[in-house]
Amino acid sequence: MNGRPMRVVAVDDHPVFLRGIVSCLEDAPDVEVCGTATSAADALATVAATTPDVVLLDLNLGDGNGIGVTRSLRADGFPGAVLVLTMYEDELALRAAFEAGARGYLLKGADQDEILGALRTVVAGGLVVGAQLADRLADLLSGARGDTPRHVAGLSERETEVLSLIVAGRTNAEITRELVVSAKTVRNHITNIFAKLGVTDREQAVERARELGLERRLGDPRWQ
């Protein structure tokens, strides 16, 4: 860094969590928080205005998601690094983040030393991932594909199944028949899915699922 502080933009749609992250970063003498954002659009504008060395990025944003933000940054020629900090611990989200161009992936709950160490690593050109997903990163980098993940983006196994059926074009009535559950149960699952993905309708849910790589599993007979 040629003796200057590492410039960081922090992005999270929860203001309280964002303030905590900023406080954590500002405690480090080699870090300068040059901007913050609480939405995808704000993140892109802030990065363009401040040219940070690294973006510390949540995946779940109210008007979009971190995967889309990362792709947009790369498409716009952003030369810095992206470090994802998220609650999503499934392989699909991990894979989607790295394929979009992220250099690191940590789970929320990482301590100050882990976050700062990861920021320094990705700015130096390295890759980093939280210990909970280290084995999956090794598989990702080697091109290996294990068993199809049964959880996506913080969803339960059943919610992941319902989302897969939505992506496959099933209606609520068809999902009810295929899963042999009540219409009310399906509606409740969909409400939970929308809340967890930060979307408001089926079209947005489908787009979010595809950005997270869910479409890869639609060839699995279990989801047909």
Side-chain angles (χ1 to χ4, degrees):
M1 304 302 299
N2 297 321
R4 67 171 177 82
M6 172 174 54
R7 292 167 52 81
V8 181
V9 165
V11 183
D12 196 286
D13 67 339
H14 294 284
V16 174
F17 184 84
L18 182 58
R19 285 197 295 271
I21 285 295
V22 170
S23 177
C24 163
L25 298 178
E26 288 180 337
D27 283 343
D30 63 335
V31 173
E32 173 192 348
V33 179
C34 60
T36 63
T38 58
S39 69
D42 194 18
L44 294 173
T46 301
V47 171
T50 60
T51 58
D53 300 301
V54 58
V55 180
L56 184 61
L57 182 64
D58 188 15
L59 286 186
N60 193 20
L61 302 170
D63 62 338
N65 63 86
I67 303 299
V69 169
T70 303
R71 288 198 185 109
S72 294
L73 290 174
R74 292 303 176 218
D76 292 342
F78 173 60
V82 173
L83 172 63
V84 170
L85 181 63
T86 180
M87 65 179 180
Y88 296 163
E89 56 182 302
D90 58 274
E91 183 183 341
L92 286 179
L94 173 70
R95 183 180 295 275
F98 276 94
E99 289 180 348
R103 300 290 300 176
Y105 193 106
L106 294 182
L107 297 181
K108 288 184 175 179
D111 62 25
Q112 181 183 37
D113 288 342
E114 187 175 4
I115 293 171
L116 291 171
L119 287 169
R120 293 171 184 131
T121 296
V122 297
V123 167
L127 293 175
V128 65
V129 70
Q132 301 93 327
L133 292 170
D135 291 342
R136 297 180 189 181
L137 176 63
D139 289 341
L140 187 157
L141 294 176
S142 69
R145 295 182 182 270
D147 295 336
T148 301
R150 300 192 66 83
H151 300 268
V152 172
L155 304 182
S156 69
E157 183 173 324
R158 180 61 103 181
E159 289 164 353
T160 299
E161 187 174 12
V162 171
L163 178 58
S164 297
L165 292 170
I166 290 173
V167 174
R170 305 294 198 270
T171 65
N172 282 20
E174 290 170 333
I175 294 172
T176 296
R177 289 195 297 271
E178 291 190 38
L179 300 184
V180 195
V181 295
S182 70
K184 180 180 179 181
T185 296
V186 170
R187 289 196 300 270
N188 288 342
H189 283 317
I190 291 174
T191 297
N192 291 337
I193 290 167
F194 286 3
K196 290 181 179 180
L197 294 182
V199 301
T200 59
D201 58 36
R202 294 171 79 97
E203 183 177 350
Q204 291 177 1
V206 169
E207 180 62 24
R208 186 67 51 85
R210 286 177 172 156
E211 288 175 339
L212 290 171
L214 182 60
E215 62 186 343
R216 290 192 184 90
R217 68 190 292 176
L218 295 181
D220 188 326
R222 292 175 297 174
W223 308 111
Q224 299 303 308

